[in-house]
Amino acid sequence: MTKTAFDLIVVGGGPGGYVAAIRGAQLGMSVALVERSELGGICLNWGCIPTKALLHSAAVLRACREAARYGVADAGQARPDLAAMVARSRKVADRLGQGVAHLMKKNGVTVFAASARLAGAGRLALDNGATLSAPHIILATGARARELPALPLGERIWAYRQALTPAEIPKSLLVVGAGAIGAEFASFYRAVGAEVTLIDMTAEILPQEDAEISQLARKAFEKQGIRVLTQCAVQSASPTASGVKVALDQQGRQSELEAERVIVAAGIVGNVENLGLEQTRVKVEKTHIVTDALCRTDEPGVYAIGDVAGAPWLAHKASHEAVLCVDAIAGKPAHPLDALRIPACTYSYPQVASVGMTEARAREHARQHGGDIRVGRFSFAGNGKAIAMGEDQGLVKTVFDAATGELLGAHIIHPEASELITGYGVASALEATEEDLMHAVFAHPTLSETLHESVLAAFGRALHA
């Protein structure tokens, strides 16, 4: 007979949910995980991982085309094999999905392939007719792509799933939304040969990033041939013989743009429907569940983590919340998550990564508290390893409290930005000051030396600028 009573039940098997299940098992709890679709969630199956596989294929293609710069002959005629790229991407996702299933078995987590609804205190009703019970229930149901009424999804207007599995490379592509997802798809499709237009309603692409970095990203995209339109909104769309005609409004100027395909990447909404929340004290604001610092909702015994619990919508944020939530449930020391210490990465070409405050936010923070900031910048053009790699375009920017030396923010634009940002992430978590970072020894020759130089630059001590 299948067990139905547990110490902890997790609803949703993404990077928040499956990590919560593992942590619960590590702490000696009997744990059930309910997942209606694929273990690993959107991130592993249709988000973070498969997009990075496609972007890596694009990077290999780009390297082959530029091989002559590095003294490698006869590689310049490389061309994209889209079917093989997509197949590899799906294979990578499948492998990791199997890995999550193995982890569930290894940790003794009982997995139910079903949807679930809260059905009274400590109870969950599954759509297969079963009822589970536990004193603690974590909702980790994630989020989905926001749909725009002006751009109904279909054969020619895609969300991320269709964009990850194209049958052919569109000759022309409009990407609506220039956040991380939109920027990554724009980079991939431009690399494989599509004529790409990237639009956003805000004043700059990657609007959550530091303005200076966003402007550098825009210039890099435009240099690659990506057309960028900002402060631009979609009014309507209509099919044509070969694609989609889209009516645009750019600060009151009306225009039309025709593209073979459109990708909608205009944000996400939380998966809060059909969870039985209306019969509880759980609060929902703007499609996201409201929680306290330890992921507790207003309903006793019900918790929420990851994308469904709000920004920042990052897999590593979900996993970190999973651990602190379960630790708190178990009575272990649990430290509330500080959103300013969570690195964010965009895997476009070039990549953009950051942690902490933008310069503008830091200046405002300092003004409100009667202080000031110091800003350091160091270009990869002054870094030996970057020059040797042929990747000497980019910038490292650091923002410090002028009085205390606290690292308030760090921002990087470079093809390896996502790997480099962790250095500043660790420094932020350890509350390192400028003095600590200046005294650290960075290996030579490495790209990470730019992190050191940017800190030095903030205090007038840069050695290679």
Side-chain angles (χ1 to χ4, degrees):
M1 185 175 179
T2 303
K3 181 176 179 178
T4 59
F6 300 87
D7 298 322
L8 172 68
I9 302 174
V10 183
V11 182
Y18 82 73
V19 169
I22 291 171
R23 183 58 181 152
Q26 287 177 343
L27 294 174
M29 300 180 188
S30 61
V31 182
L33 176 68
V34 182
E35 170 54 54
R36 68 183 181 184
S37 183
E38 299 163 300
L39 288 174
I42 294 298
C43 172
L44 190 154
N45 293 285
W46 297 101
C48 311
I49 299 302
T51 55
K52 304 314 167 282
L54 289 179
L55 286 163
H56 186 70
S57 291
V60 173
L61 177 64
R62 191 180 299 110
C64 289
R65 289 171 172 169
E66 298 175 357
R69 291 176 53 199
Y70 303 93
V72 178
D74 301 327
Q77 300 304 310
R79 59 178 181 79
D81 182 340
L82 185 64
M85 288 181 175
V86 171
R88 178 180 179 274
S89 172
R90 301 316 310 156
K91 184 177 180 180
V92 168
D94 290 344
R95 175 179 171 180
L96 289 171
Q98 293 169 14
V100 174
H102 170 73
L103 289 172
M104 296 300 95
K105 184 176 180 180
K106 176 183 176 181
N107 287 278
V109 176
T110 302
V111 177
F112 293 87
S115 295
R117 290 176 57 88
L118 295 171
R123 292 168 62 83
L124 274 178
L126 308 188
D127 62 357
N128 62 11
T131 299
L132 308 181
S133 64
H136 306 286
I137 298 173
I138 298 177
L139 302 177
T141 51
R144 63 187 183 277
R146 183 183 301 278
E147 296 186 20
L148 301 179
L151 292 168
L153 301 180
E155 180 184 353
R156 299 176 180 178
I157 301 177
W158 296 342
Y160 56 87
R161 287 184 183 243
Q162 296 95 328
L164 283 168
T165 55
E168 58 186 13
I169 301 168
K171 293 182 176 63
S172 57
L173 175 70
L174 171 64
V175 181
V176 179
I181 296 172
E184 289 175 6
F185 277 127
S187 287
F188 171 73
Y189 277 98
R190 181 65 191 132
V192 296
E195 293 296 324
V196 177
T197 300
L198 177 65
I199 72 171
D200 201 274
M201 294 180 64
T202 62
E204 271 300 345
I205 65 171
L206 302 175
Q208 301 302 317
E209 298 294 342
D210 182 86
E212 182 178 3
I213 299 296
S214 294
Q215 290 160 13
L216 290 173
R218 178 175 187 158
K219 290 178 182 178
F221 283 13
E222 290 175 336
K223 186 177 180 179
Q224 295 167 50
I226 297 173
R227 182 187 182 196
V228 178
L229 302 176
T230 49
Q231 294 180 297
C232 185
V234 174
Q235 301 295 100
S236 63
S238 56
T240 67
S242 58
V244 182
K245 182 182 290 185
V246 180
L248 302 175
D249 182 330
Q250 190 174 21
Q251 293 185 286
R253 297 191 302 274
Q254 311 299 314
S255 63
E256 289 186 336
L257 183 152
E258 188 168 347
E260 190 174 305
R261 295 291 184 269
V262 176
I263 295 176
V264 180
I268 63 173
V269 295
N271 292 324
V272 295
E273 301 86 357
N274 302 314
L275 293 176
L277 300 181
E278 61 279 359
Q279 304 301 322
T280 72
R281 285 183 271 179
V282 175
K283 293 179 182 176
V284 176
E285 292 181 359
K286 297 181 179 179
T287 78
H288 293 92
I289 295 173
V290 178
T291 65
D292 68 7
L294 296 178
C295 306
R296 296 172 296 203
T297 72
D298 285 352
E299 179 71 18
V302 177
Y303 312 79
I305 62 174
D307 287 357
V308 76
W313 299 286
L314 300 167
H316 44 284
K317 174 256 194 184
S319 296
H320 193 90
E321 281 184 330
V323 173
L324 77 87
C325 178
V326 176
D327 280 357
I329 289 171
K332 301 288 184 181
H335 302 284
L337 186 61
D338 183 351
L340 286 175
R341 301 193 191 282
I342 304 173
C345 302
T346 300
Y347 297 82
S348 53
Y349 182 77
Q351 296 178 8
V352 172
S354 62
V355 64
M357 299 182 190
T358 64
E359 180 183 351
R361 183 175 175 183
R363 287 196 183 281
E364 177 61 21
H365 179 269
R367 185 191 65 79
Q368 292 174 353
H369 293 83
D372 201 358
I373 65 172
R374 299 187 71 116
V375 179
R377 298 175 178 84
F378 190 79
S379 169
F380 282 89
N383 177 261
K385 178 68 177 294
I387 295 171
M389 293 171 61
E391 296 285 8
D392 61 346
Q393 299 300 301
L395 180 72
V396 179
K397 179 176 180 178
T398 45
V399 183
F400 291 88
D401 183 286
T404 67
E406 178 187 1
L407 177 63
L408 300 176
H411 310 271
I412 307 173
I413 178 168
H414 186 265
E416 298 295 333
S418 64
E419 297 294 338
L420 292 170
I421 197 62
T422 298
Y424 286 132
V426 172
S428 177
L430 295 177
E431 299 182 349
T433 66
E434 94 290 4
E435 186 174 354
D436 298 320
L437 291 167
M438 286 181 182
H439 289 167
V441 178
F442 290 73
H444 174 80
T446 64
L447 296 176
S448 65
E449 291 175 277
T450 60
L451 309 186
H452 194 216
E453 290 280 1
S454 182
V455 175
L456 293 172
F459 294 86
R461 293 176 53 180
L463 299 172
H464 295 91

